[in-house]
Amino acid sequence: MKPAVVLYKSLSDDLRQRLNAFFDVTEIPGLDEENVKKYASVLQKAHGIIGSGGKFDQKMLDRLPQLKVASTISAGYDKYDVDALNARGILLMHTPSALTDTVADLLMGLVLATARRLPELAQRTRVGEWRDNVCADWFGSDVHHKTLGVVGMGRIGMALAQRAHLGFSMPILYNARHQHSEAEQRFNATYCDLDSLMAKADFVCIILPLTDQTHHLINRERLANMKPSAILINAGRGPVVDEVALIEALENHTISAAGLDVFEQEPLATDSPLLQLPNVVALPHIGSATHETRYAMDATAVDNLIAAFNGQVQENCVNPQVANSSGAGGEF
Ligand code: DGY
């Protein structure tokens, strides 16, 4: 008997076939409240689940009494109550390496877009304001040779440092839980405590996961510590930055601009003050959203699910310690 798997995001035909070869798959349209109720009996029987989005708290896990493996099509797993998964012996698989370069490209794009005011000036051109040679009112600031602060020197932080240092001759400061000798050797990066980094960097790039420790890590005091010419970029998780404090800092010109791909509430409300500010570039959480990378994430998540049910969780597993007790290798 094949394990029963619930798929709650559509996949390309080849990946769907690969999933079908290993599992008895039921596809459902999503995991919002309505679908969770409508497909309660399917969820009740699921040994595995694969998709992106949804909130896997205790209430949701109670609806999945047979669950052995959850495979999320994302690098971040802040929507999962990992303690509750551990207590039930459920493996959580994710896709941390599939999106590294693509998210780093977007971060560099936000650095350029904010410093050179690309969306704002493109819009002014579109509406016919370009009538003569541009004057200082249209100028941006340089990116090359400016100091880039990386908050969170994981895979994406490294890929950003590579682009910024080797491509744009930018000195790199970084803050992370541990010093990173590879970043120091390859990109001449300098380890800094967070407050010094915020005070010194021209661009502060936040690439942190959301945890109890990182929630509102970038608060009013830390924003006030930044240079008035500095720019904040966030492409990690929205709630790492206190959004109310950020709006104030942008309105008061405590900082110069912000490039944001993530927000405290997503989708961003259309009446958010952030959307009224010309010094904000706001994007709809598109860090990994390219055809190539989203396919690679889907494929990785499918392979992760297969590997977990085969008892092979050497990589991409959030909680490998439960592998031995979960029975995911066959006892379902
Ligand atoms: C991730 O994979 O965590 C990205 O933020 C896309 O959701």
Side-chain angles (χ1 to χ4, degrees):
M1 193 183 70
K2 292 178 186 171
V5 159
V6 171
L7 167 68
Y8 61 98
K9 173 186 186 280
S10 40
L11 295 177
S12 61
D13 289 346
D14 60 326
L15 294 179
R16 181 57 204 264
Q17 276 167 24
R18 182 159 166 71
L19 214 50
N20 289 344
F22 288 86
F23 304 112
D24 179 5
V25 183
T26 306
E27 184 169 344
I28 67 172
L31 281 184
D32 53 59
E33 199 51 41
E34 197 186 322
N35 283 314
V36 163
K37 283 199 184 118
K38 187 167 169 195
Y39 296 99
S41 63
V42 173
L43 295 169
Q44 189 86 22
K45 292 182 206 130
H47 303 115
I49 191 158
I50 177 169
S52 61
K55 192 168 163 51
F56 286 78
D57 53 10
Q58 189 63 58
K59 193 171 159 212
M60 181 66 184
L61 292 177
D62 288 344
R63 296 177 181 272
L64 293 155
Q66 311 288 333
L67 195 68
K68 296 290 177 206
V69 183
S71 180
T72 178
I73 307 177
S74 65
Y77 51 86
D78 43 286
K79 298 273 191 283
Y80 287 79
D81 181 340
V82 177
D83 289 338
L85 292 174
N86 291 344
R88 283 259 315 267
I90 299 167
L91 285 171
L92 175 58
M93 310 297 291
H94 67 143
T95 66
S97 47
L99 44 65
T100 306
D101 283 314
T102 300
V103 178
D105 286 351
L106 186 88
L107 279 156
M108 208 60 225
L110 280 172
V111 167
L112 290 162
T114 47
R116 301 299 303 269
R117 302 166 56 191
L118 301 181
E120 180 197 346
L121 299 185
Q123 180 61 16
R124 286 173 73 172
T125 306
R126 189 182 292 271
V127 298
E129 285 185 33
W130 181 27
R131 295 189 205 93
D132 207 340
N133 287 342
V134 299
C135 57
D137 175 40
W138 292 59
F139 294 173
S141 4
D142 278 340
V143 169
H144 64 88
H145 296 95
K146 293 285 182 71
T147 298
L148 184 104
V150 180
V151 183
M153 189 53 99
R155 291 179 173 87
I156 298 170
M158 286 288 285
L160 175 65
Q162 178 186 23
R163 283 154 178 74
H165 186 64
L166 304 181
F168 291 80
S169 307
M170 299 173 88
I172 307 293
L173 305 177
Y174 76 100
N175 180 259
R177 273 176 301 175
H178 308 288
Q179 280 192 240
H180 205 303
S181 55
E182 192 187 341
E184 295 182 8
Q185 277 158 22
R186 287 179 60 199
F187 314 126
N188 205 18
T190 305
Y191 182 85
C192 253
D193 65 75
L194 183 56
D195 291 323
S196 313
L197 181 149
M198 302 285 300
K200 289 182 192 160
D202 296 302
F203 299 90
V204 174
C205 296
I206 315 290
I207 324 162
L208 289 172
L210 177 61
T211 63
D212 289 344
Q213 290 71 41
T214 64
H215 184 264
H216 283 193
L217 182 72
I218 307 302
N219 55 20
R220 184 169 284 105
E221 293 70 37
R222 291 210 159 100
L223 290 165
N225 216 5
M226 288 173 70
K227 301 195 246 189
S229 58
I231 294 177
L232 185 91
I233 308 289
N234 188 10
R237 283 294 182 264
V240 173
V241 177
D242 178 343
E243 208 163 277
V244 172
L246 175 63
I247 291 165
E248 270 171 36
L250 290 161
E251 284 173 347
N252 301 337
H253 301 283
T254 308
I255 66 173
S256 157
L260 306 170
D261 188 39
V262 290
F263 303 88
E264 292 219 40
Q265 292 297 328
E266 295 180 6
L268 182 63
T270 49
D271 62 356
S272 166
L274 287 169
L275 296 175
Q276 303 304 320
L277 292 166
N279 51 350
V280 169
V281 176
L283 298 177
H285 199 147
I286 54 163
S288 63
T290 64
H291 292 293
E292 299 89 335
T293 291
R294 285 293 170 90
Y295 177 84
M297 290 168 71
D298 289 353
T300 303
V302 168
D303 287 345
N304 284 344
L305 193 67
I306 296 167
F309 274 96
N310 284 334
Q312 297 160 345
V313 292
Q314 288 87 345
E315 54 176 14
N316 297 342
C317 185
V318 172
N319 53 354
Q321 73 279 9
V322 305
N324 293 336
S325 57
S326 73
E331 302 289 318
F332 50 86

